[in-house]
Amino acid sequence: MSQPIPVANPAVNQHPDTPKFNIDTVEHATGTPDTELPWAELGLKDNEYRRVVEILGRRPTAAELAMYSVMWSEHCSYKSSKNHLRQFGDKVTDEMKEHLLVGIGENAGVVDIGDGWAVTFKVESHNHPSFVEPYQGAATGVGGIVRDIISMGARPVAVMDPLRFGAIDHPDTARLVHGIVSGIGGYGNSLGLPNIGGEVVFDSVYQGNPLVNALAVGVLRHEDIRLANASGVGNRVVLFGARTGGDGIGGASVLASESFDAGKPSKRPAVQVGDPFVEKVLIECCLELFKASVVEGIQDLGAAGISCATSELASNGDGGMHVELTKVLLRDPTLTPGEILMSESQERMMAVVTPENVGAFEAILDKWAVEYSWLGEVTDTGRLIIEWDGETIVDVDPRTVAHDGPVYDRPFHRPEWLDGIQADGFSGSIQDAARPEGAPALRAAVLELMASPNMCSKDWITSQYDRYVQGNTALAMPDDAGVIRVDEETGLGVALSTDANGRYSYLDPYEGARLALAEAYRNVATSGAKPLAVTDCLNFGSPEDPEVMWQFAESVRGLSDACRELGVPVTGGNVSLYNQTGGVPVHPTPVVGVLGVFDDVARRTPSGWVEDGQAIYLLGTTADELDGSEWANLRGHLGGRPPKADLDRERRLAEILINASRDGMVDSAHDLSEGGLAAALVESALRFNVGARVGLDEVCARDGIDAFTLLFSESQARAVVAVPRSEEIRFTDMCTARAFPAIRIGVVDADAVSLDIQRHFTVPLDELRGAHEGTLPAYFG
Amino acid sequence: MTETPLIGAAPTFSTGSRADAAQGLSGARIGVITFPGTLDDRDAARAVRIAGGTAVALWHADPELAGVDAVIIPGGFSYGDYLRAGALSRFAPLMERIIQAANARTATARLPVLGICNGFQILTESHLLPGSMIKNDHLKFACLDAKLRVENNATAWTTDYLPGQEITVPLKNQDGQYIADEKTLDALEAEGLVTFRYVGGNPNGSRREIAGISNAAGNIVGLMPHPEHAVESGYGPDAASGRSAGTDGLGFFTSILNTLVGGTK
């Protein structure tokens, strides 16, 4: 056996008089077939390495191995999920495609919102880096998703961050909360992007594996859409932005595609380090390049860095590219070719430029003081050739790197333990023994719920994000959806919400995914927008565990079915697997983002009460659906079946909320989800410090439930709305015409400054606020 | 609006607004300077338009001031706040021109300058205003609706406010704690140069609750809160007049237009 070739750690031949590296050329590889390569260390499996050898007809060079290892990683290749994800395409009807300008497969989907405007949006995960290095992990998560948006030709206009942490009182949680929140703020605020929403969940199941998802949305004119491909033989290939360094090497393969194991060394070197200033300049520079029409195709460098950009650009275009790798500008001159190909240094873009536009391109880059280097050109050879100082170190068919990676039909089966879990409903369980009854107990229960980690005010977090910048934010947290104006003349705009409930998905992954979509859809409609399209970030444990794989398969089936039923297509997203520590996977957590459109954001519906005397209506019906609820969670119970998703009802509720918004029939609306009616009433009151008198009897009688169940059950397809007196008849007529249950449960009382649940209890708003807003500062300072 | 303007690329911020331009004032040209890393330039330009003026985009590397009647240095993280917030921007070619023009010998020739947030930091780094900003006392970025008291309405940028008037304007920064030595603070107080003070709680530990100051001539004003984010109902802070309806910041922009037309300051 001959000497191993170093790939990731070059400690060889640094003396200036000797060749810089032992360069493993294609010629050398052909002549040394028996050389052992560290493919296992780079995350490749035995069969995958043998497949690479088969494709090439020889052993790969060190550089080729680097490329295949990152591009065939789970993170980049979707090898375990691909077979399932097809359903998102297969179940799309022509009607659903009506507003779709660019679908799944590009950097981000693009949706037509009318008047020649389009919106592109996508959610991605940065879970493992954020656990290893919270600030940089979360920051570069924002940076990465924003570059996806730029590369479609759009100006980014907002971000959102769904976050899931371990138990709030665990000693490690404060480290993650402080680091991740300040990382998101530090990067997003510096880019000038308003942060308009997201989620924050605490659950011990995420202790060793927090979920840090980032969503970005951008706007563009139809004619400005750009796709990432390298067309036009002889066109030049340029790399620009930050220099390439040693950070993030193997981020996609070693970090994102493996489970954490307490016995292994820290993976900190695989986390990228971001510089938001460079990205902000890159945004403006790219938009100017687009405006001047001097780039043919553009690709952001994210996971797998140059390996990904060159192979994807080449295989999506004319099929060939010739690159000289020594032209890459480096932060660290000791990097080997393999490391340069794998580096995930941030704030870099690759573009294809016609020879006649080279001068114009350079002028714009110079204006913004952005560094660039011309790496090579587009060819029609069907080969991606990468040279190092003139010697060929990569000679591959780019399709085999970018698209023809392994696809696994992973075995999956329904966990045997699920029957027992599903049979263990909350009602009647040991944890339900002391169910609150009577006024004092119910009052205390509402305060306890609203102070709990998941239901408490998230202001401590969201006030660290800029929600005002760009001047187009019409709604932001804590409203149900974030709303952004797109066109200042007409008020045309969009609404966005992200939602998931890991406990629901744990109890029933098929239903859980449908519930995630239902809630995000409902939130968007509650703001008054018409839901148009979906992005998803599917966070799961190891696909090599057949039970996790079953959760994944069921979730994809559930989400794709639900998308068809609600008529909203998935336009893109991300799969994050291997979210587990020590063999215990996180709850299946399919985060669903829904995009809706407004003809005029001036008519959006906020979530809090304002006007004295307005009538409060509860829309929808309530059943005993406490399994998986926040209340059951507070009592330490997780069992039974999640609430039932009734998508036909969701659609009808959405129509009512959208029409009511358009015709001025409601002044506020708040959806009912986690925490049920109790949470919706408290949040509606605290939003603008306006109280209400509410009666529960009529609903309890109609639905055959008690006051506790009405307050804490999490039945779906419900909302509370405040209706001006003058609009009551029109509003109730509309509900009747649509056969949608609506009962007047109370009246807004601006003088009372308390929430009065009549015949039960009264709580002053100050007391509620103290409970609701005190929790996060108490834990995090 | 038919296009998303590119900062620095377009000669003017030419996109329309829903507000009617005030008659007779649209001739006033207010420059809005963009550095690499500036964030609130388009917002400041929008505020100028809503007030009825004409916003002119200035690029930090421009050699001349393009004949503007006043300049706004908007918020953001110019040069990434490298070294110190504002420390590098102060040396931009256009800043040299602004420093000269703002310090002109005759009152009528002095260029009115408003520095907002990062713009205020640039003004202190340029020594156009005294003191400095350090990290908030709670060490976190803070985005909140700040209540301010107008302490001095006799500046080019505050004539449309009443002395003692309380206004609500968004505040959003990491390095917003205003500091200066006691002597300087005493002098600011004695000369009535404290323009705005935080009321109802100090959000960042600023000395003597100072939110904004002016120079003695009153042509230069700097403050940490963002008046340009409280100029349009529906996109501002919550106010008594309605949710997101606060437009208390508009007074800055109408003040400068009136000052320019009236020839005071």
Side-chain angles (χ1 to χ4, degrees), chain B residues 69-123:
Chain B
D69 302 309
V71 165
I72 297 172
I73 310 177
F77 294 84
S78 58
Y79 288 103
D81 276 0
Y82 291 158
L83 188 57
R84 270 190 325 275
L88 300 181
S89 307
R90 174 250 175 281
F91 294 102
L94 200 60
M95 277 312 298
E96 305 286 348
R97 311 292 308 158
I98 288 172
I99 292 167
Q100 256 176 20
N103 284 329
R105 207 168 303 155
T106 59
T108 47
R110 277 182 208 129
L111 181 75
V113 179
L114 174 66
I116 303 170
C117 196
N118 192 225
F120 186 16
Q121 293 160 341
I122 294 169
L123 290 179

Side-chain angles (χ1 to χ4, degrees), chain B residues 241-261:
Chain B
S241 53
R243 293 165 289 196
S244 311
T247 56
D248 287 353
L250 197 54
F252 281 79
F253 308 95
T254 55
S255 290
I256 188 60
L257 295 177
N258 287 326
T259 301
L260 291 169
V261 169

